[in-house]
Amino acid sequence: METVSTSRAFGGTQGVYKHVSTETGTEMTFSVFVPEHAEGETLPVVWYLSGLTCTHANVTDKGEFRAHCARHGLIFVAPDTSPRGEGVADDAEGAYDFGLGAGFYVNATQEPFAAHYRMRAYIEEELPALIGAEFPADMSRQGIMGHSMGGHGALTIGLRNADRFKAVSAFAPIVSPLNCPWGEKALSGYIGSDRASWREYDACALIEDGARVADLLVDQGDADGFLEGQLKPELLVKTCEAAGQPLTLRMQEGYDHSYYFISTFMGDHLDWHAARLKG
């Protein structure tokens, strides 16, 4: 692991780091905020997965999370959204919703993406091992959150690994890639045409198939331009109600899909995670 930069913030350290990933076969960059803590103390970890077109830098620069993490004693990890670099396949037409910046947190099986697009394994396995080894992280206390495509990632990774993540939340998540254009494009391109194989990457389908977590928190702006066509939170509500999966969905009046929305409610989400990661 190489340190790209470190800065003092709210008594702790905001760092940016990079390493060569064995899963993606590329160099990967991520950021970590470590609050002030006693020597030898380990702290709970909250993962933040970003949305389409983003890198680690979007939330690091605009998420306004550090004061809340410092107050609660939470390590905040922000990975990239896809592999990058020479030889990494991209959308043939340069579209923003597939390829670079749009890894969708899957392990791709279709060529030419299978070689590098292994973001599921990277987030579920490789990067946690690195975080546990290099930072004062208590890996028995982890939470996960995300935005949009990253909200999809947080929900699906949280549901598939309920024994690991004690808190799961999302901002404006893609709740059912099986039922929206972004998801259909990504999953068909990365996974193939067999829609049954998509179900492990769809939060609603995972819940229908028996996956459960203690509870879910989702914030969604009602002025979000992607609300009706791509995000469809009503599908998650319907699925959770039918399955008995606890869900708190808050529709936020006048808020859009931007980091103005995310930063406004970031403190609420970190309060949620802290309450579930104590002790």
Side-chain angles (χ1 to χ4, degrees), residues 52 91 96-99 101-110 113 117 149 152 174 177-178 180-193 195 197-198 201 230:
L52 292 167
D91 183 82
Y96 76 93
D97 56 357
F98 189 75
F104 241 79
Y105 304 100
V106 305
N107 285 347
T109 59
Q110 304 299 299
F113 304 100
Y117 283 78
M149 178 187 73
H152 141 76
I174 303 169
L178 279 157
C180 74
W182 280 341
E184 291 178 352
K185 179 177 181 177
L187 296 182
S188 62
Y190 294 134
I191 308 299
S193 60
R195 292 176 68 91
S197 67
W198 299 5
Y201 296 113
Q230 303 282 7

Side-chain angles (χ1 to χ4, degrees), residues 236-253:
L236 184 62
V237 172
K238 181 179 179 181
T239 300
C240 287
E241 288 178 347
Q245 166 62 55
L247 167 67
T248 300
L249 171 66
R250 307 190 307 182
M251 296 300 298
Q252 303 293 356
E253 183 178 359

Side-chain angles (χ1 to χ4, degrees), residues 2 5 29 65 76 79 82 86 90 154 166 214 220 225 247 266 269:
E2 179 182 340
S5 66
T29 302
F65 56 86
F76 192 94
S82 79
E86 186 176 353
D90 195 8
K166 300 181 184 302
Q220 171 66 62
L247 167 67
M266 178 64 79
H269 282 244

Side-chain angles (χ1 to χ4, degrees), residues 154-212:
L155 293 178
T156 55
I157 291 171
L159 285 161
R160 289 195 305 263
N161 298 275
D163 57 335
R164 182 189 309 178
F165 296 103
K166 300 181 184 302
V168 182
S169 71
F171 303 97
I174 303 169
V175 304
S176 184
L178 279 157
N179 293 289
C180 74
W182 280 341
E184 291 178 352
K185 179 177 181 177
L187 296 182
S188 62
Y190 294 134
I191 308 299
S193 60
D194 179 9
R195 292 176 68 91
S197 67
W198 299 5
R199 294 185 68 83
E200 62 185 316
Y201 296 113
D202 183 297
C204 291
L206 284 166
I207 293 169
E208 289 172 353
D209 294 344
R212 297 288 185 274

Side-chain angles (χ1 to χ4, degrees), residues 14-17 29-33 56-57 59-60 65 76-79 131:
Q14 177 64 65
V16 177
Y17 309 90
T29 302
F30 60 95
S31 75
V32 181
F33 175 71
H56 71 282
V59 70
T60 306
F65 56 86
F76 192 94
V77 181
I131 296 298

